[in-house]
Amino acid sequence: MTAYVLGATGFVGRETVRQLCVRGTKTIAHVRPDSKKLEEWRGKLAELGAEVDTTVWEPVAMAAKIRALAPQQIYILIGTTRSKAKADSLEGNIYEAVDLGLTKIAAEAARASEIKPRLVYLSSVGADPTARSAYLNARGRAEEVVKTAGVPWVIARPSIITGEREDGRFGERTAAVVGDGLLAFAGVLGGKKLRARYRSTTPDVLASALIRLGEAPEHDRVFDGIDLR
Ligand SMILES: NC(=O)c1ccc[n+]([C@@H]2O[C@H](COP(=O)([O-])OP(=O)(O)OC[C@H]3O[C@@H](n4cnc5c(N)ncnc54)[C@H](OP(=O)(O)O)[C@@H]3O)[C@@H](O)[C@H]2O)c1
């Protein structure tokens, strides 16, 4: 089994790489070639047991890489934030440029590779191509891109992903604590499904669910928080 992980340097990406390597899956961890921390990532990801790939984010180059690697799964675990986009000097609709733009490249490359790998797409609860929120709108459109790529796919829609991050993200932790508290209350009142769907998750729980969905016989399905435990 070979897995290609896009977004391997992220909170969820690193844990997915770690778990794939522990399971003995040949794991190719993609790091953007212009990463300021490329050498650091090479070391960290190699320590986990992964091979590091720095193919440029461009459909033809990425299709050739996918053809050569012949992975059974391509994990798409990418996305930007306001602070990351600022550091990348991105302007305009940052989610359209990164979350949607890079997903389009990955999906197009997977299709063009002609080896039909399964796309395992990390989306978000509330993703909707008609949403007013730029983030949820871009995520919704990215899901459409994944679904129509002409290769097998699964989409995961978790709620907030929390835990000890290197870059802090106080707002995310606060939202997780407050949201989980409200959901616990809803659970007591009988809203158990609601609680299971929307309560926060952690990278280890999510990575393990993504790998399970990536390797399960069924595909072409969207999974929400209930299925991601
Ligand atoms: N955090 C949450 O609560 C939450 C909840 C639901 C869904 N999600 C979705 O899940 C995705 C992954 O979550 P995460 O917490 O693992 O995110 P993360 O830690 O911010 O990682 C994002 C990944 O995307 C890459 N990336 C960002 N901007 C890029 C660019 N301009 N060019 C190339 N690569 C770029 C990063 O690479 P570098 O390291 O090189 O920047 C990193 O590998 C998110 O993007 C989000 O949309 C998140």
Side-chain angles (χ1 to χ4, degrees):
M1 187 91 80
T2 299
Y4 190 31
V5 182
L6 306 175
T9 59
F11 198 36
V12 180
R14 292 191 306 268
E15 178 59 18
T16 304
V17 167
R18 189 191 71 76
Q19 290 191 22
L20 284 166
C21 290
V22 166
R23 291 161 65 92
T25 301
K26 182 176 176 196
T27 306
I28 320 300
H30 181 266
V31 182
R32 48 169 141 174
D34 57 339
S35 168
K36 294 183 183 90
K37 300 203 299 188
L38 183 54
E39 288 318 307
E40 190 183 327
W41 286 124
R42 273 192 200 286
K44 283 185 177 171
L45 293 164
E47 225 168 78
L48 295 176
E51 219 172 90
V52 173
D53 168 61
T54 58
T55 300
V56 65
W57 273 105
E58 188 277 317
V60 175
M62 213 160 246
K65 178 50 77 173
I66 294 169
R67 205 171 300 122
L69 296 172
Q72 281 75 32
Q73 295 88 19
I74 300 178
Y75 291 85
I76 308 178
L77 315 177
I78 46 172
T80 193
T81 58
R82 286 187 196 287
S83 62
K84 198 167 269 207
K86 197 170 172 199
D88 284 335
S89 307
L90 287 176
E91 283 170 9
N93 186 335
I94 58 172
Y95 304 112
E96 181 156 331
V98 177
D99 299 38
L100 175 60
L102 299 189
T103 302
K104 273 185 181 165
I105 294 175
E108 166 60 18
R111 189 198 56 73
S113 73
E114 295 177 345
I115 61 156
K116 294 208 173 280
R118 181 182 303 190
L119 301 180
V120 182
Y121 185 61
L122 176 54
S123 182
S124 169
V125 69
D128 179 348
T130 66
R132 279 189 167 195
S133 142
Y135 169 70
L136 294 176
N137 183 294
R139 285 277 151 193
R141 285 192 286 153
E143 286 190 356
E144 295 305 317
V145 165
V146 167
K147 289 177 184 171
T148 55
V151 296
W153 56 270
V154 289
I155 291 174
R157 286 181 173 175
S159 183
I160 291 175
I161 306 162
T162 190
E164 290 304 317
R165 278 183 184 273
E166 280 160 6
D167 59 352
R169 300 200 194 172
F170 175 73
E172 216 169 73
R173 282 209 308 276
T174 310
V177 171
V178 173
D180 288 352
L182 291 172
L183 289 167
F185 187 59
V188 171
L189 298 179
K192 288 205 167 66
K193 266 199 170 167
L194 185 80
R195 180 169 184 240
R197 180 164 291 138
Y198 293 109
R199 93 182 136 114
S200 68
T201 187
T202 54
D204 57 328
V205 171
L206 185 55
S208 136
L210 290 172
I211 295 169
R212 176 167 43 80
L213 300 177
E215 296 178 2
E218 65 270 14
H219 52 81
D220 297 1
R221 283 184 56 193
V222 178
F223 297 90
D224 71 15
I226 293 176
D227 311 295
L228 302 174
R229 304 286 163 198

